[in-house]
Amino acid sequence: MALENNRSESVDILNRKTGDLVTQYSGPGDRVVNITQSSVVRINASPESVNFYERQGDDLIVHMRDGSTVRYQNFFHLDADGLHSELIFEDQYGTHHAVFPFATEAGPAAAEAIVPVMADTSLGALIGGEGLSTAAILGGLAAVGGIAGVAIAASGGGGGGAAAVTIATAVTAVETVERAVKTAVLAMAVKTVALAAMMMAPSAVTTVVATLLRQAAKTLRHPR
């Protein structure tokens, strides 16, 4: 997956499943890039090299500060696995992931401005079987949060039946989380909350959940 060191502001289109280099563009300039499969678009420059972003349908339009414009056709198209392409920047400070809101929803017919949230990441976090999409991360955390709510309700009720329901639901959640977000931290959170529901007060359960979710977030930001 390692690539040769490219000159500043070059763009690499990488296969999102394998990490293989599909296409490479050297230097700035107006262009239209047709993305035919879910990819990672890597701009070898700082995020500050972009002036603003627009979305039109499934296309991402990137307006650079040097005045050039690049349209990435089908960037937001969802493949059979529900994945769309991702945009990252690499500079001397690391790898920065541009996370776009409502990426899985239908885009506007006319171009509209879109503002991403920048998050530090690694290329490996977005590539292959270990890759984590934005939807998977949010889905996994939501699953854990849902189980936390069930666990707290069960612990407050004090009934064995409620705790049993929590355990059964937790088993399903563990499987869902492990499929969607391949990290043992989130699975551990679900299992721990299920057990905590049987022996802890609601306030203690909440503390356990908060601690585990902070650790999960740290793991996702700094994948091994």
Side-chain angles (χ1 to χ4, degrees):
M1 193 182 301
L3 299 173
E4 65 182 29
N5 189 21
N6 304 303
R7 70 191 184 94
S8 180
E9 295 191 24
S10 64
V11 177
D12 306 317
I13 310 298
L14 308 174
N15 184 303
R16 186 167 177 186
K17 294 182 178 179
T18 66
D20 293 337
L21 178 64
V22 177
T23 312
Q24 187 176 84
Y25 299 92
S26 298
D30 293 338
R31 60 175 64 98
V32 175
V33 177
N34 184 28
I35 296 177
T36 59
Q37 58 192 345
S38 294
S39 304
V40 173
V41 177
R42 178 172 61 187
I43 298 177
N44 295 294
S46 165
E48 282 70 35
S49 63
V50 175
N51 190 13
F52 66 97
Y53 306 84
E54 290 181 308
R55 180 178 180 181
Q56 183 174 21
D58 283 340
D59 295 357
L60 173 65
I61 307 169
V62 182
H63 298 267
M64 307 297 290
R65 289 193 181 278
D66 63 11
S68 62
T69 300
V70 182
R71 176 185 287 265
Y72 295 97
Q73 293 182 324
N74 301 312
F75 180 91
F76 293 102
H77 174 75
L78 299 180
D79 64 15
D81 296 321
L83 299 176
H84 54 75
S85 295
E86 300 285 358
L87 175 65
I88 63 174
F89 296 84
E90 283 197 355
D91 59 16
Q92 67 269 35
Y93 300 109
T95 303
H96 319 286
H97 182 195
V99 182
F100 292 97
F102 312 111
T104 60
E105 299 183 8
E112 293 183 4
I114 184 171
V115 180
V117 174
M118 302 305 301
D120 289 343
T121 187
S122 68
L123 179 60
L126 298 171
I127 293 293
E130 298 300 319
L132 301 177
S133 67
T134 302
I137 292 172
L138 295 178
L141 290 175
V144 173
I147 292 304
V150 173
I152 291 170
S155 64
V165 171
T166 301
I167 297 297
T169 308
V171 171
T172 301
V174 168
E175 296 173 350
T176 301
V177 170
E178 287 179 333
R179 283 197 303 268
V181 185
K182 294 179 174 59
T183 170
V185 175
L186 293 180
M188 180 181 68
V190 176
K191 294 175 182 176
T192 302
V193 167
L195 294 175
M198 301 179 66
M199 63 185 72
M200 292 184 179
S203 60
V205 174
T206 302
T207 301
V208 170
V209 173
T211 301
L212 288 168
L213 288 182
R214 282 196 297 270
Q215 181 60 40
K218 180 178 178 180
T219 299
L220 293 173
R221 287 196 301 271
H222 304 287
R224 292 183 179 89

